[in-house]
Amino acid sequence: MNELFMLEKHTLKILFVINTGAGSSSRDWSSLIAEYFVLKKTIIEIYDLQKNCTIEGIKEKISQFAPSQVVAVGGDGTVKLVAESLIHSHIPLGILPAGSANGLAKELGISNNPEKALETLLMGVTKKVHLTNINEQLCIHLSDIGLNAYAMKKFKHQGIRGMWGYLIASLKVLWQNPLMQIEIETNGEIHHLKAEMIVIANATQYGSGAVINPIGKLDDGLFEVVVLKKISPYEIFKMTFLNDEYDAEKIEIFQTSSLKMRSVRKVHFQIDGEYLGKVKEVNADIIPDALEIIVPEVS
């Protein structure tokens, strides 16, 4: 009886939260996960996200199953939803990249190869990361105002998908996106700026691989405010397809743990790929050591 108790006590229990509608792949994640763990001493549970799923529903499942780790199977939106369910819980978050945008997974070096990503869950290490609270919403990756947020709105309602669709949407809004007049308060200092786009960057790069914040770190207790003063069609193309950095001469970066940002007029706004309409004010604060994420061990 004692041996059975010890086995149960130390058996890894993994809850997989699967967004079956994520990405464009027809991959059967439930079957793939079940096959991978069939000979391993691991108890697994599959939780398929429903259309109107809530954080409370995920939390209830976590409470019932009492997992050793919870794995988000989907894109950045799915990762954000699961992260909100785990914040300050000390239960590690795993990621199986399965969405059209997998920015955080790419940031953390988690492979797009399903078997390698599954292997990370068993052989990886945990990394504590900070998150940001932006206008009372959790941000795990990147938020911005201006051109990119506007392009996301256009992209959502047009027929062309993928990178080419995003490029077309971005070029359309480039000519309809007047310079924003912004007041930024960071570290007790106030700056008045004109910009086409401002990014609140918890990480370094977008899901496309384009580096927007070359100095960003997920565990330094700071986030960056990246001000893009001028964006050209070539830079949009570069960001979409070449995974290259923006022109440093057209960028100004502020590093801080809190932000107050005010615009003269309402501007387009997004968090982690979700378009949230127009705002005149954006307030952000760091949430230190908010989440433990399972990442590949660096050799």
Side-chain angles (χ1 to χ4, degrees):
M1 185 64 128
N2 286 339
E3 287 181 3
L4 179 61
F5 173 76
M6 290 299 292
L7 176 64
E8 290 179 349
K9 184 178 179 181
H10 292 94
T11 298
L12 190 66
K13 296 176 69 178
I14 306 178
L15 174 64
F16 290 89
V17 180
I18 302 179
N19 181 358
T20 54
S24 55
S25 171
S26 58
R27 182 175 285 128
D28 184 348
W29 279 101
S30 295
S31 297
L32 193 153
I33 290 165
E35 288 170 12
Y36 182 85
F37 286 99
V38 69
L39 297 177
K40 294 178 172 60
K41 293 181 179 179
T42 304
I43 300 171
I44 65 169
E45 181 84 10
I46 303 294
Y47 181 77
D48 287 331
L49 289 176
Q50 302 304 310
K51 187 174 182 181
N52 297 315
C53 61
T54 63
I55 294 169
E56 288 70 27
I58 298 173
K59 283 184 174 180
E60 184 177 347
K61 186 65 181 178
I62 291 170
S63 177
Q64 291 171 354
F65 185 60
S68 311
Q69 57 181 253
V70 180
V71 180
V73 186
D76 285 331
T78 307
V79 172
K80 178 181 177 181
L81 188 66
V82 178
E84 287 182 284
S85 307
L86 292 175
I87 189 168
H88 294 315
S89 71
H90 303 296
I91 299 174
L93 168 70
I95 301 173
L96 294 183
S100 53
N102 303 295
L104 188 62
K106 187 173 289 186
E107 183 85 26
L108 296 167
I110 298 170
S111 176
N112 278 323
N113 178 288
E115 190 163 334
K116 288 183 178 179
L118 282 161
E119 186 178 292
T120 294
L121 302 179
L122 300 181
M123 306 300 292
V125 296
T126 58
K127 177 186 180 73
K128 280 190 176 182
V129 301
H130 61 248
L131 304 176
T132 45
N133 177 10
I134 304 176
N135 282 12
E136 302 306 318
Q137 293 203 48
L138 189 70
C139 176
I140 62 170
H141 195 225
L142 296 166
S143 172
D144 54 56
I145 61 171
L147 188 138
N148 182 63
Y150 192 9
M152 285 185 174
K153 179 186 179 184
K154 289 284 187 184
F155 177 75
K156 187 176 180 180
H157 298 291
Q158 71 180 18
I160 305 171
R161 313 309 292 168
M163 291 297 190
W164 281 108
Y166 175 79
L167 176 66
I168 291 168
S170 298
L171 291 175
K172 282 180 181 177
V173 304
L174 179 62
W175 315 117
Q176 305 168 17
N177 187 56
L179 283 175
M180 301 179 294
Q181 297 182 51
I182 304 291
E183 178 185 278
I184 290 178
E185 183 177 342
T186 62
N187 303 317
E189 296 182 350
I190 295 177
H191 306 269
H192 291 92
L193 306 160
K194 290 184 179 180
E196 293 215 52
M197 175 174 159
I198 297 178
V199 184
I200 303 171
N202 202 37
T204 65
Q205 58 187 293
Y206 282 104
S208 65
V211 176
I212 192 68
N213 176 28
I215 67 171
K217 292 181 180 179
L218 283 165
D219 57 358
D220 62 356
L222 297 168
F223 61 88
E224 285 71 42
V225 183
V226 184
V227 180
L228 289 90
K229 299 174 183 177
K230 190 69 179 173
I231 303 175
S232 68
Y234 173 67
E235 281 167 325
I236 291 176
F237 179 84
K238 188 168 66 173
M239 181 182 76
T240 308
F241 292 107
L242 303 183
N243 302 345
D244 206 352
E245 296 180 17
Y246 279 97
D247 183 348
E249 292 183 358
K250 297 174 183 175
I251 288 181
E252 190 169 0
I253 300 177
F254 302 91
Q255 203 168 39
T256 185
S257 61
S258 65
L259 164 73
K260 291 182 180 179
M261 186 161 58
R262 291 169 287 275
S263 174
V264 169
R265 58 179 178 82
K266 284 191 173 184
V267 292
H268 297 280
F269 173 55
Q270 70 88 16
I271 295 178
D272 289 333
E274 182 183 357
Y275 179 75
L276 297 171
K278 285 186 168 186
V279 297
K280 289 189 76 171
E281 292 192 14
V282 175
N283 298 303
D285 294 285
I286 201 80
I287 310 173
D289 296 332
L291 197 63
E292 293 183 33
I293 303 182
I294 303 164
V295 300
E297 186 171 14
V298 179
S299 57

